[in-house]
């Protein structure tokens, strides 16, 4: 099943190394417990008088009772994925929602409607949906189910039922107001540690992302020069009879090096760059989640302060504080559980990605 192989990066053609065995074991384990399989494929261009856009086919296979059928096939455009992400963030403000590829991936490096861009985006959208499907809470979100099953006109109708503009503005104003109030007084130590961890992680992953892009760029320049260098020796051999065989031999060697370098570049662009960039986006998402948790805590703190300074309305305030305490506890528990899960996934992804790069490099130098 392609949806499984892409999510787990397990390929039967890779020689069995310790890391490959870990991948295989996890892959086989997950196949038994999963009951929702999603594939994003078949990109299609649409040109209208107003805009040009791409839609992707989303195929869902499931054995879950809340779905009316066991298989669905719908077409979705990038805007629909953005809508889903915003609905998940709205419903679960302190859960870690997987990142979506930006509007324009690697701006300046690829054309927006080139095959390379479309394929890069398709893989990222595929991963986005499968990360949600694997999440113990997000997978049961009603908007997610509608996204997977509703026809285009039904989805469009469902989108219009969202909160009105004034309601959204109110939420934004409250969020800004609470973030302006300054640091949170009673933030538990655990969340301060998370914050520090994410600041360090964010710096390190950004540096790794830049280095990986630089390596890829240098490799590409080297590859382009080699492509020109090989044929020169073949041409040269035609005018030098005495050393023609040697020159042809050098040309053949350069050609082999060229092919090995191309394979190595493909490994970097398919396995390393997307994972690093995904975690650059994850670091931004996590900083946002921690900020939202702090805002809920800040709201509680301000109500507690207001209660101590006011003699009247104590009953009303006590009730509000009780609700806010529950809200803070729910937010804390949701983030704690998601944090452990995210860290485990991140460490697994990093370990398998870097091991994969190391194995590819070994094969490259052997060739």
């Amino acid at each position: 099943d392609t949806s499984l192989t892409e999510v787990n990066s397990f390929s039967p053609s890779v020689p069995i190394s310790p890391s490959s065995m870990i991948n295989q074991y996890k892959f086989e384990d997950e196949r038994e417990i999963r009951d929702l399989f999603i594939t994003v494929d078949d990109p299609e261009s649409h040109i209208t008088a107003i805009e040009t856009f791409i839609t992707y086919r989303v195929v869902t296979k499931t054995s879950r009772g809340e779905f009316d059928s066991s298989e669905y096939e719908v077409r979705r455009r990038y805007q629909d994925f953005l809508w889903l992400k915003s609905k998940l963030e709205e419903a679960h403000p302190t859960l870690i929602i997987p990142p979506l590829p930006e509007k324009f991936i690697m701006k300046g490096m690829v054309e927006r409607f080139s095959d390379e861009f479309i394929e890069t985006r398709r893989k990222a959208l595929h991963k986005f949906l499968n990360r949600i499907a694997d999440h113990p809470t997000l997978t049961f979100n009603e908007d997610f189910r509608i996204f997977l099953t509703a026809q285009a006109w039904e989805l469009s109708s469902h989108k219009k039922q969202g909160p009105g503009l004034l309601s959204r503005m109110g939420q934004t104003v409250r969020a800004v107001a609470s973030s302006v109030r300054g640091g949170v007084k009673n933030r538990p130590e655990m969340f301060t540690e998370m914050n520090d961890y994410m600041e360090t992680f964010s710096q390190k992953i950004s540096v790794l992302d830049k280095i990986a892009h630089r390596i890829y760029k240098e490799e590409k320049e080297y590859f382009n020069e080699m492509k020109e260098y090989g044929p020169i020796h073949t041409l040269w051999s035609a005018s030098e009879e005495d050393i023609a065989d040697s020159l042809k031999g050098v040309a053949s060697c350069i050609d082999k090096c060229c092919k090995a370098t191309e394979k190595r570049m493909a490994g970097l662009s398919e396995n390393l760059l997307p994972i690093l960039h995904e975690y650059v986006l994850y670091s931004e998402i996590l900083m946002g989640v921690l900020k939202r948790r702090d805002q809920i805590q800040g709201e509680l703190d301000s109500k507690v302060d207001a209660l101590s300074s006011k003699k009247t309305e104590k009953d009303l305030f006590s009730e509000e504080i009780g609700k806010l305490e529950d809200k803070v506890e729910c937010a804390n528990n949701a983030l704690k559980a998601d944090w452990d899960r995210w860290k485990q996934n991140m460490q697994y992804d990093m370990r398998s990605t870097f091991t994969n790069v190391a194995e590819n490099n070994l094969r490259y130098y052997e060739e």
Side-chain angles (χ1 to χ4, degrees):
D1 188 306
T2 54
S3 63
L4 275 173
T5 52
E6 283 192 19
V7 169
N8 291 283
S9 316
F10 171 70
S11 163
S13 61
V14 176
I16 294 299
S17 67
S19 69
S20 306
M21 285 165 76
I22 290 166
N23 285 359
Q24 186 177 2
Y25 196 74
K26 185 172 181 184
F27 170 80
E28 286 169 351
D29 257 9
E30 287 185 358
R31 176 176 278 177
E32 288 171 21
I33 56 168
R34 287 183 66 181
D35 57 2
L36 185 63
F37 300 91
I38 304 165
T39 311
V40 178
D41 61 11
D42 189 27
E44 209 175 82
S45 293
H46 300 263
I47 300 165
T48 68
I50 304 166
E51 59 178 342
T52 301
F53 60 93
I54 310 287
T55 63
Y56 300 84
R57 181 174 66 170
V58 178
V59 177
T60 305
K61 294 179 182 180
T62 183
S63 55
R64 288 188 189 170
E66 66 265 28
F67 287 84
D68 297 331
S69 173
S70 61
E71 193 167 334
Y72 294 89
E73 185 179 310
V74 293
R75 293 203 75 84
R76 297 286 180 254
R77 55 185 292 186
Y78 180 73
Q79 301 291 356
D80 299 327
F81 286 86
L82 275 180
W83 168 83
L84 174 61
K85 185 172 184 286
S86 71
K87 293 301 281 182
L88 291 172
E89 283 170 350
E90 196 182 294
H92 309 282
T94 55
L95 287 182
I96 302 161
I97 312 299
L100 266 177
E102 300 99 324
K103 189 97 174 149
F104 302 105
I105 304 171
M106 298 191 290
K107 204 171 180 182
M109 285 180 73
V110 255
E111 285 297 316
R112 187 179 162 203
F113 293 112
S114 71
D115 291 346
E116 189 187 345
F117 173 86
I118 291 167
E119 179 56 13
T120 303
R121 171 165 284 183
R122 183 200 68 75
K123 283 181 178 172
L125 296 175
H126 175 95
K127 183 177 263 192
F128 169 72
L129 291 184
N130 277 280
R131 290 240 193 239
I132 296 168
D134 287 341
H135 193 284
T137 306
L138 299 177
T139 189
F140 297 108
N141 178 278
E142 180 62 11
D143 289 306
F144 180 49
R145 188 187 65 78
I146 288 165
F147 176 90
L148 296 176
T149 60
Q151 290 308 309
W153 64 270
E154 291 173 306
L155 183 66
S156 179
S157 162
H158 180 72
K159 281 181 181 180
K160 287 171 186 164
Q161 295 167 17
L165 177 65
L166 290 173
S167 159
R168 289 201 300 274
M169 279 175 64
Q171 287 166 8
T172 310
V173 169
R174 279 202 301 279
V176 170
S178 58
S179 62
V180 166
R181 274 200 293 268
V184 181
K185 287 184 297 180
N186 302 316
R187 182 204 275 159
E189 182 64 28
M190 180 190 190
F191 298 108
T192 302
E193 285 170 12
M194 272 187 205
N195 211 62
D196 295 344
Y197 181 96
M198 281 319 300
E199 281 176 7
T200 308
F201 178 83
S202 180
Q203 288 165 4
K204 288 186 177 181
I205 203 76
S206 295
V207 168
L208 282 171
D209 188 48
K210 282 175 191 157
I211 292 170
H213 273 91
R214 194 174 73 217
I215 290 170
Y216 182 79
K217 186 168 171 271
E218 287 172 3
E219 203 76 9
K220 197 170 188 177
E221 286 167 2
Y222 173 57
F223 170 72
N224 289 335
E225 285 177 11
M226 262 203 302
K227 263 203 313 194
E228 292 174 16
Y229 193 47
I232 287 168
H233 285 76
T234 308
L235 289 170
W236 187 10
S237 69
S239 57
E240 293 278 0
E241 281 181 31
D242 294 348
I243 53 168
D245 289 344
S246 298
L247 291 171
K248 280 177 186 171
V250 171
S252 169
C253 281
I254 292 169
D255 185 51
K256 281 177 187 170
C257 288
C258 229
K259 282 172 181 161
T261 304
E262 193 170 21
K263 211 187 293 179
R264 187 189 193 197
M265 280 163 55
L268 289 172
S269 70
E270 286 167 23
N271 302 319
L272 180 66
L273 299 182
I275 288 284
L276 290 178
H277 193 64
E278 185 186 18
Y279 279 96
V280 167
L281 298 177
Y282 256 130
S283 67
E284 292 167 14
I285 285 165
L286 266 145
M287 293 304 274
V289 167
L290 286 161
K291 199 173 275 182
R292 287 197 289 276
R293 194 222 69 87
D294 282 354
Q295 283 166 1
I296 296 168
Q297 177 92 52
E299 215 179 323
L300 172 63
D301 292 348
S302 67
K303 280 280 187 290
V304 170
D305 290 347
L307 178 63
S308 59
S309 64
K310 286 189 178 182
K311 303 275 190 283
T312 57
E313 300 172 2
K314 279 209 169 184
D315 290 345
L316 181 66
F317 264 70
S318 297
E319 194 181 327
E320 279 187 44
I321 285 168
K323 283 179 186 170
L324 280 168
E325 281 172 345
D326 290 346
K327 198 174 171 185
V328 169
E329 195 178 346
C330 285
N332 289 353
N333 290 339
L335 180 50
K336 267 189 246 176
D338 233 16
W339 172 258
D340 292 338
R341 187 179 174 280
W342 177 81
K343 262 182 94 171
Q344 201 177 347
N345 281 348
M346 178 270 289
Q347 286 162 357
Y348 171 80
D349 283 344
M350 291 295 158
R351 186 164 56 243
S352 53
T353 297
F354 287 131
T355 308
N356 185 282
V357 170
E359 286 173 352
N360 280 344
N361 282 347
L362 283 169
R363 278 196 292 275
Y364 168 76
Y365 287 115
E366 280 166 3
E367 280 178 49

